Amino acid sequence: MKVEELRTLDAEELEGKLKDARRELYELRFKLAVGQLDNHRQIRQVRKDIAQILTIVHQRRWEDWEEPEAEAEVGARLASPSASPASEETDEPEGPEAVASETVDSPEAVEEVAEAAAAEAVAAPKRKGRARKADNEDSDD
């Protein structure tokens, strides 16, 4: 089937065509397994038909998808050169201190959270298998 013909079909007809093509592929694979398939290229053609149908279905979903306002706003901020983080110079802390200052009120708690976050960032990643076992044996000594 040609792509132009598939594009004229509505969603229900496409789903029907997809179901029929998948069923045909199943039957062709079964025939191949029992040795009754004469033309092996039929499998390739049916797989191609399925791919074309799925491509059109996914294109239609993408066209119908509407971008939420929040994402559009973020995209607009990122696109404008005046809103880039490099052009802004602030005295606000970056990294763990920035996160800690937003979530905790007291300065002492901010320092504790920042130290904990820095310690986590420096900590070595967990190892798997024999490497972990060797580390455990070394620490026991």
Side-chain angles (χ1 to χ4, degrees), residues 22 34 68 75-76 84 86 88 95 138:
R22 285 184 172 163
V34 294
S84 67
E88 297 178 9
D138 291 341

Side-chain angles (χ1 to χ4, degrees), residues 5-118:
E5 295 173 10
L6 291 174
R7 290 191 194 280
T8 60
L9 301 177
D10 63 354
E12 291 177 6
E13 292 172 334
L14 276 176
E15 290 297 323
K17 292 271 186 190
L18 181 62
K19 187 175 182 180
D20 293 341
R22 285 184 172 163
R23 179 68 183 177
E24 183 179 357
L25 180 62
Y26 172 79
E27 291 171 0
L28 288 172
R29 285 181 175 161
F30 185 78
K31 286 181 182 180
L32 179 67
V34 294
Q36 295 178 351
L37 186 62
D38 295 330
N39 186 0
H40 297 292
R41 297 221 14 107
Q42 288 177 324
I43 293 176
R44 181 179 286 185
Q45 183 59 45
V46 173
R47 288 178 61 206
K48 184 178 176 182
D49 292 343
I50 291 171
Q52 288 174 338
I53 293 169
L54 287 174
T55 299
I56 293 171
V57 168
H58 292 298
Q59 283 175 346
R60 288 183 182 174
R61 285 185 187 162
W62 183 255
E63 290 170 358
D64 294 340
W65 183 71
E66 294 180 12
E67 188 173 336
E69 292 179 20
E71 289 183 14
E73 187 176 305
V74 170
R77 284 190 302 183
L78 292 176
S80 67
S82 63
S84 67
S87 65
E88 297 178 9
E89 294 185 21
T90 61
D91 293 332
E92 294 181 16
E94 294 182 7
E97 295 86 7
V99 173
S101 64
E102 292 177 7
T103 57
V104 182
D105 294 332
S106 71
E108 295 83 18
V110 171
E111 289 177 14
E112 289 175 14
V113 171
E115 288 174 7

